Amino acid sequence: MSIISFRRLDFSCLTHQYIYYSCITGKKIVQNPDTDHGFKFELTDKESSYNFSCETKTEREKWVDAISCISYGPFGGGMFGSSIEVTVKREKLHGGRNVPKIISQCIGYLDNSFRLKENGIFRLPGNEKTVKQLKMEFQEGMEPNLEAKGDTHTIGSLLKLYLRSLPDSVIPSSLYEDFVAIILTYELNQQEGLNELRYLINRIPCSAYNCIRRLCEFLFKVQTYSDSNRMDLNNLAIVFSPTILKNNSGNLDLEMRDIQKLKKVTEMMILNHETLFPADKEEEDQEDLDLENIDPDELKNLFTVKMIKYQVQSREILTKDKEIAALRAQLAQSQQTVEQQERTIIEQQNKLDHLGGCVQRLEAQESCSPARASLPSSPLPPPRSSNTVLTGANKNVELLTSPQLRRRTQPVAKDRPAVKPRPGTICGP
């Protein structure tokens, strides 16, 4: 018996220099009880046995999943921790289909009108011990009896556990930014957003495409029973969006920023699953070529046809990428224009508010001024004509508009005798 301690080692090194496939394949994994000396498990068969010691429980689970992928993979198991593409290829060697059997069996168990009405389906947890037992049976390539061992919440928890154990999200994380950017297009034009989403979905690998198609078809059926199970479209998107599409950069700020966009993309795929996923995608059959006996001209023609086909497909993809880039540039420019107009409107509104405040302050000052308040409110005197007789301090005076007025208003010199007025005229004092 060998004792191997993996302290401070990354479990991804499993397939490199530390343990070889020949030491793992076909061996059974047994988890030992937890002790103060570490978290241990055993890898054993009839001929040899290896004991593993880890520092934490989470580290042990990672090691067990990684070893299980190698140990049980050739026998149709090892799906926990393996990619969907690898799992589908392994299961097809044993009569599997386009979707991992754990997904098809869990959905087949839950796709029942009685179970779909269960309150809190996919929200309430199942029996943890039963979930672990069913996981190990699937992992070892067995065919567990879900009807006898499971219930609605336990099978729902098992399905979520499998999706979380994938090394990457169902939709490859390399398409994360493209899927998140769809929301801006969808908000401006829903049809254009759906067309762009359909184009991106066609770029997903076949096995992942078929997996998402089966999930969205089933989740759409679940939300039709939301009056009973309390799991509407919004709640389902909250539960499944982190596993359907996620960012593997480890940037928590980025994940929190895009959480609403990811939920919206998931809702779009569930609601429009019939148009976005019309049918299963089949992988192209790889032709087995006998390179030793094949005619060189035939081989040349075959490669020429394949090359032309790939060039056409690449050209179409590049054209679509350019169209999407141009559309995004237009949307960004439109958004900048709208923001500039909003800033202009806000500035004009602030100016109007400032002028209104000034007018109100002036009116308040005028109403409160004591000089204005003491002035009598009497009507204006009537206009005066050229021949109006005004009442002076002592007697009436007639206004003279003739040249005599100028002569009579001039001061009289003391050394010159005063001129006597003509009869019939009135002189002022």
Side-chain angles (χ1 to χ4, degrees):
M1 179 179 296
S2 301
I3 299 178
I4 304 176
S5 176
F6 283 93
R7 300 178 185 274
R8 296 180 299 278
L9 293 180
D10 186 1
F11 74 96
S12 61
C13 68
L14 177 65
T15 59
H16 298 289
Q17 66 268 31
Y18 294 97
I19 296 181
Y20 298 94
Y21 284 97
S22 59
C23 301
I24 297 176
T25 305
K27 289 182 172 58
K28 185 176 180 61
I29 299 175
V30 179
Q31 297 191 31
N32 299 328
D34 300 338
T35 63
D36 296 337
H37 301 288
F39 299 87
K40 300 178 181 180
F41 65 96
E42 186 177 358
L43 183 64
T44 182
D45 60 5
K46 295 181 180 180
E47 298 179 356
S48 60
S49 177
Y50 297 90
N51 287 341
F52 296 81
S53 177
C54 304
E55 290 185 344
T56 63
K57 186 176 181 180
T58 303
E59 185 182 1
R60 181 178 64 180
E61 292 178 356
K62 290 182 178 181
W63 275 103
V64 170
D65 289 342
I67 295 176
S68 300
C69 295
I70 302 172
S71 179
Y72 303 124
F75 307 100
M79 68 278 296
F80 285 86
S82 298
S83 65
I84 296 177
E85 291 79 10
V86 172
T87 300
V88 170
K89 289 180 180 179
R90 288 174 176 174
E91 292 180 355
K92 281 186 175 182
L93 298 176
H94 302 272
R97 298 187 177 182
N98 295 331
V99 177
K101 65 180 182 180
I102 186 172
I103 293 180
S104 58
Q105 291 186 18
C106 288
I107 291 179
Y109 175 86
L110 296 172
D111 194 2
N112 178 284
S113 59
F114 176 76
R115 296 184 178 114
L116 289 175
K117 294 180 181 179
E118 185 75 25
N119 183 22
I121 181 174
F122 294 122
R123 179 170 54 84
L124 298 178
N127 186 285
E128 184 179 359
K129 183 178 179 180
T130 307
V131 170
K132 289 183 178 180
Q133 181 182 357
L134 293 173
K135 172 188 173 182
M136 287 307 302
E137 291 182 6
F138 273 109
Q139 192 76 334
E140 294 176 5
M142 302 170 60
E143 296 290 341
N145 188 351
L146 301 183
E147 294 288 343
K149 298 181 180 180
D151 58 76
T152 302
H153 299 300
T154 299
I155 303 304
S157 299
L158 179 64
L159 178 59
K160 293 189 296 181
L161 178 62
Y162 169 71
L163 295 176
R164 289 197 303 268
S165 70
L166 295 173
D168 196 1
S169 55
V170 181
I171 298 176
S173 57
S174 58
L175 299 175
Y176 176 86
E177 295 293 341
D178 295 331
F179 273 86
V180 170
I182 288 176
I183 300 303
L184 179 60
T185 306
Y186 183 79
E187 291 176 349
L188 297 177
N189 190 322
Q190 293 187 2
Q191 188 59 43
E192 289 294 333
L194 289 175
N195 292 337
E196 186 174 347
L197 180 59
R198 186 183 299 109
Y199 166 71
L200 288 177
I201 287 175
N202 290 330
R203 296 173 57 184
I204 300 174
C206 294
S207 52
Y209 173 95
N210 296 330
C211 182
I212 298 174
R213 177 178 180 271
R214 188 74 178 94
L215 280 173
C216 291
E217 181 183 3
F218 173 66
L219 294 178
F220 180 83
K221 192 172 183 179
V222 173
Q223 62 92 27
T224 59
Y225 292 86
S226 60
D227 293 339
S228 302
N229 57 32
R230 301 293 188 270
M231 290 299 290
D232 56 10
L233 186 63
N234 180 69
N235 292 334
L236 291 173
I238 292 174
V239 173
F240 285 93
S241 59
T243 56
I244 290 179
L245 180 62
K246 63 182 178 181
N247 180 20
N248 287 336
S249 65
N251 189 341
L252 296 179
D253 295 337
L254 182 62
E255 294 179 3
M256 295 301 297
R257 184 198 68 184
D258 297 335
I259 187 171
Q260 294 298 327
K261 296 180 180 179
L262 295 178
K263 185 170 70 68
K264 184 63 177 179
V265 170
T266 305
E267 293 178 358
M268 291 168 59
M269 290 191 293
I270 295 175
L271 279 179
N272 304 278
H273 70 279
E274 293 183 350
T275 57
L276 296 175
F277 308 95
D280 281 354
K281 289 175 65 175
E282 296 290 343
E283 294 185 3
E284 296 183 358
D285 295 333
Q286 301 295 329
E287 300 180 8
D288 296 331
L289 300 178
D290 188 359
L291 299 180
E292 295 182 358
N293 300 323
I294 193 171
D295 186 9
D297 294 335
E298 183 180 354
L299 181 62
K300 181 179 179 181
N301 294 334
L302 179 61
F303 283 134
T304 302
V305 172
K306 290 286 187 181
M307 184 62 67
I308 293 174
K309 179 180 178 180
Y310 293 147
Q311 287 178 353
V312 172
Q313 292 178 350
S314 300
R315 198 174 295 115
E316 292 177 354
I317 293 175
L318 290 175
T319 302
K320 289 291 185 179
D321 290 340
K322 290 181 180 179
E323 293 177 357
I324 294 174
L327 181 60
R328 289 177 180 172
Q330 293 177 2
L331 292 175
Q333 186 176 3
S334 301
Q335 187 176 6
Q336 292 178 358
T337 304
V338 171
E339 292 176 355
Q340 181 64 31
Q341 293 177 353
E342 291 178 351
R343 287 194 294 268
T344 304
I345 293 173
I346 293 174
E347 292 177 358
Q348 293 178 354
Q349 185 64 37
N350 292 336
K351 291 181 180 179
L352 291 175
D353 294 341
H354 179 69
L355 292 175
C358 293
V359 171
Q360 292 178 358
R361 288 194 295 272
L362 290 175
E363 291 178 351
Q365 292 177 359
E366 291 179 356
S367 62
C368 297
S369 176
R372 295 277 299 179
S374 62
L375 290 177
S377 59
S378 58
L380 296 175
R384 296 176 297 181
S385 62
S386 60
N387 297 324
T388 302
V389 178
L390 300 179
T391 303
N394 300 322
K395 56 182 178 178
N396 295 336
V397 179
E398 180 183 358
L399 295 178
L400 301 179
T401 58
S402 61
Q404 296 175 0
L405 178 62
R406 292 190 297 270
R407 289 197 301 269
R408 296 184 185 277
T409 56
Q410 291 178 355
V412 180
K414 295 182 178 180
D415 55 351
R416 191 175 63 178
V419 180
K420 296 182 179 181
R422 293 180 182 181
T425 61
I426 301 174
C427 297

